[in-house]
Amino acid sequence: MFFRNLAKSAWVRWLDLLHARYHIDGLFFSVGWWHRGTLELPLVQLGEATELELAPLATGENTRVLRFLSPFHHLLPEQSTVAEALLVLPLEWTLETPICIQLASTGDEGFATRRELVAEPLLRDGIGSIIVENPYYGSRRPARQQRTYLRTVSDLWAMGLSVVAETRALLHWLKRQGFQNLGVVGVSMGGAMDSQAPSLTPFHLAMCSCIAPHCASGVFLEGVLSRYVDFAALGGERGRARLREQLDGSDLSLFPQPRRGDCAIWLAARKDAYVSPESSLRAWEIWPGSHLRWLNNGHIGTAMFHRNDYLKGIRESFRRLQLSLQLPTGFP
């Protein structure tokens, strides 16, 4: 039994390494640091959420592409300034319908994957989704960027600031229309960003974060992705130290506590080569009352084979939120 478990552990970790070797064919931050002013901005932005000038949802409306000027448009390249998200609701939605904001993992462009694998199954449970396109990705990708490999460290920082601000703006837009049952969900990078949104939102939210770190520094300096960072463009060893200092500013412990940590579900992979299990454990520790679920797989294996666990985590987070708000759950 010991050797069988050891072999499985080695395999799921090798799956992460093989995926990186054959699917990552570029370098992050090949142009260097770029804009110092952007890098000096804290990720913890405590100001009021941007009020979106979007038409309210109409009775019978089930899908809509939402477009609006990003709250941090001044930090973004021209092609990324307009935020884009896909709204998908059950056919017979009400103001009690749960709606989750779905954030993108690294390299996840467009709406199709998250709609097919997450939004559509959730519709069967009566849960709607807003699928957010990241700046620098898909329809918002700058012309000079090679696929999803961000060219500068300030691009990564601007992406983080923008995604969280856009998520907060969408949550407030839904709240103003009377929706009470709201949440944020994401995998990997999307999970890291979705854990920041509840910390900066002044009302109760469900949250399900899958294989996400508590801080980005370990991902880019210790995990598999560290092999695909252009440290030469950042200044060699001195750049490595500076990058750690910069990314330490994404540590979840720097953010305020969310209103309802008990409505948060963390899914972590025991054999993750991208996000260390210690980092996932640290995220759970930072939020007292939140719930941690371990999956016996690696990063890629979890994304490929544990979709049902992710969907289950989303449903559980909404169930906990509904109980806290004394709303009918509406699904098993």
Side-chain angles (χ1 to χ4, degrees):
M1 180 64 71
F2 170 79
F3 290 105
R4 185 183 303 169
N5 290 338
L6 183 64
K8 183 177 181 180
S9 172
W11 163 246
V12 296
R13 189 171 178 84
W14 269 105
L15 183 59
D16 284 355
L17 301 177
L18 286 170
H19 179 271
R21 180 170 182 177
Y22 291 105
H23 289 269
I24 303 179
D25 57 356
L27 291 175
F28 293 93
F29 317 137
S30 59
V31 180
W33 297 92
W34 187 236
H35 199 279
R36 177 179 295 179
T38 299
L39 294 173
E40 290 175 349
L41 292 171
L43 292 183
V44 181
Q45 296 284 327
L46 296 174
E48 293 286 334
T50 299
E51 186 167 337
L52 301 184
E53 296 182 2
L54 292 172
L57 293 175
T59 302
E61 182 180 17
N62 304 110
T63 62
R64 188 203 298 183
V65 175
L66 306 171
R67 294 186 178 89
F68 56 92
L69 190 66
S70 175
F72 281 93
H73 61 90
H74 54 288
L75 303 181
L76 298 171
E78 182 180 356
Q79 297 92 336
S80 297
T81 56
V82 176
E84 190 164 296
L86 178 66
L87 171 74
V88 183
L89 290 177
L91 290 175
E92 297 181 1
W93 60 266
T94 70
L95 292 179
E96 292 184 349
T97 295
I99 303 176
C100 63
I101 311 289
Q102 287 194 46
L103 302 185
S105 59
T106 301
D108 184 2
E109 297 187 285
F111 305 131
T113 299
R114 281 173 287 165
R115 178 171 187 171
E116 178 182 353
L117 298 182
V118 182
E120 296 292 346
L122 289 177
L123 286 179
R124 294 193 286 270
D125 295 311
I127 301 174
S129 296
I130 294 182
I131 306 169
V132 177
E133 177 88 285
N134 279 9
Y136 301 94
Y137 278 14
S139 62
R140 305 178 69 185
R141 188 201 302 174
R144 290 183 295 173
Q145 180 178 297
Q146 182 187 21
R147 294 185 292 285
T148 57
Y149 299 108
L150 300 181
R151 301 170 72 239
T152 70
V153 179
S154 66
D155 286 350
L156 177 66
W157 214 247
M159 174 191 281
L161 285 163
S162 300
V163 168
V164 173
E166 291 163 15
T167 300
R168 293 177 64 203
L170 287 166
L171 288 168
H172 280 261
W173 175 68
L174 291 167
K175 190 75 170 179
R176 286 195 304 272
Q177 295 181 72
F179 290 97
Q180 306 176 62
N181 206 349
L182 304 175
V184 285
V185 305
V187 176
S188 192
M189 179 179 70
M193 293 180 180
D194 84 32
S195 64
Q196 295 173 7
S199 300
L200 303 174
T201 302
F203 45 84
H204 298 184
L205 293 172
M207 195 280 289
C208 183
S209 183
C210 182
I211 49 176
H214 81 287
C215 181
S217 54
V219 176
F220 285 99
L221 288 152
E222 298 162 11
V224 172
L225 283 188
S226 64
R227 305 179 185 185
Y228 303 93
V229 173
D230 194 339
F231 286 109
L234 299 178
E237 286 304 311
R238 177 180 292 183
R240 183 183 293 267
R242 183 184 167 192
L243 182 63
R244 181 178 296 278
E245 180 181 2
Q246 180 69 40
L247 297 183
D248 279 349
S250 66
D251 194 311
L252 191 60
S253 66
L254 300 175
F255 288 74
Q257 290 288 318
R259 294 296 179 97
R260 294 303 299 245
D262 59 322
C263 298
I265 308 296
W266 304 95
L267 301 178
R270 295 185 184 276
K271 315 299 181 183
D272 201 325
Y274 284 82
V275 175
S276 73
E278 293 78 12
S279 185
S280 296
L281 180 63
R282 179 62 184 142
W284 168 68
E285 292 173 339
I286 290 169
W287 281 11
S290 61
H291 307 272
L292 178 63
R293 310 282 184 258
W294 285 106
L295 302 173
N296 195 30
N297 219 312
H299 199 82
I300 302 304
T302 294
M304 292 176 63
F305 305 122
H306 289 273
R307 180 168 60 96
N308 285 338
D309 291 290
Y310 180 44
L311 294 170
K312 181 179 177 181
I314 295 171
R315 289 192 290 265
E316 181 183 348
S317 67
F318 272 110
R319 187 181 300 110
R320 291 180 177 277
L321 177 67
Q322 290 163 339
L323 290 172
S324 75
L325 298 175
Q326 297 184 333
L327 295 172
T329 57
F331 55 89

